[in-house]
Amino acid sequence: MATRITTNILIFKFSLSLGGGERFTLALAEGLMHRGYAVTVFSNYRRLIDILRAQSITTQRFSWGGEPGSRRGVIAYCLFFPYHYLRMYFLLRRYRSKNPTTVIFQNLHDKLLGTSIAKRFGYTVLWVEHVSPHLWLTRNWLKKFYQTLARTTNRVVMVSKDLQREFTS
């Protein structure tokens, strides 16, 4: 293992099952730890948390309901926004004292909820996109909010060139 770097990286991953996004999260966390970073992964999915912990990756269970990708999900997102905003605010504030410099958001809910808070606390904010932007974004009421926040992130990472073309066309 590489020499420990005094940088903490927080990774958020909302999951419903163990698929490509979860395997990506595992590979990312392992790779960063191997390079000496202190990594903490926040997820709602117990199976992912168990796999990460088996690899000695620090995890914390953190859940806020479903993704705002459907009409019902957007309504729930808006209704519970103040509650979830405060939870994210206090979570990021608490970890700020542990010298984190980077937050990685992978899901729409995480991005919409946490980006402005993380930026306010001085975090570097990275978004990872690994799903085609079709219906979940193109017809979503929160699309403009997503586009505005995307301009405030430090970087939006696409996992493939095909995906990059879909987002930029």
Side-chain angles (χ1 to χ4, degrees), residues 43-131:
S43 181
N44 64 311
Y45 190 48
R46 173 67 62 196
R47 188 164 171 213
L48 177 60
I49 289 172
D50 292 343
I51 292 168
L52 291 163
R53 285 182 180 161
Q55 300 298 321
S56 300
I57 297 169
T58 305
T59 63
Q60 182 175 330
R61 189 161 179 157
F62 191 76
S63 180
W64 40 69
E67 285 278 274
S70 66
R71 187 169 291 148
R72 192 167 93 194
V74 170
I75 292 168
Y77 173 82
C78 293
L79 286 173
F80 290 103
F81 182 84
Y83 170 70
H84 294 308
Y85 184 89
L86 287 173
R87 288 180 66 216
M88 181 67 84
Y89 176 89
F90 287 113
L91 177 97
L92 291 175
R93 185 175 129 194
R94 181 178 53 167
Y95 275 85
R96 181 181 63 171
S97 66
K98 298 180 181 182
N99 194 29
T101 58
T102 303
V103 178
I104 300 172
F105 295 121
Q106 299 182 67
N107 297 87
L108 182 60
H109 197 297
D110 310 342
K111 294 168 189 164
L112 298 178
L113 189 64
T115 298
S116 62
I117 299 168
K119 293 300 286 184
R120 190 171 308 132
F121 284 138
Y123 291 93
T124 297
V125 176
L126 305 178
W127 285 8
V128 175
E129 293 295 355
H130 39 74
V131 177

Side-chain angles (χ1 to χ4, degrees), residues 5-20:
I5 299 171
T6 60
T7 299
N8 290 306
I9 298 176
L10 309 178
I11 302 172
F12 287 80
K13 180 62 182 152
F14 175 84
S15 303
L16 296 174
S17 64
L18 196 58

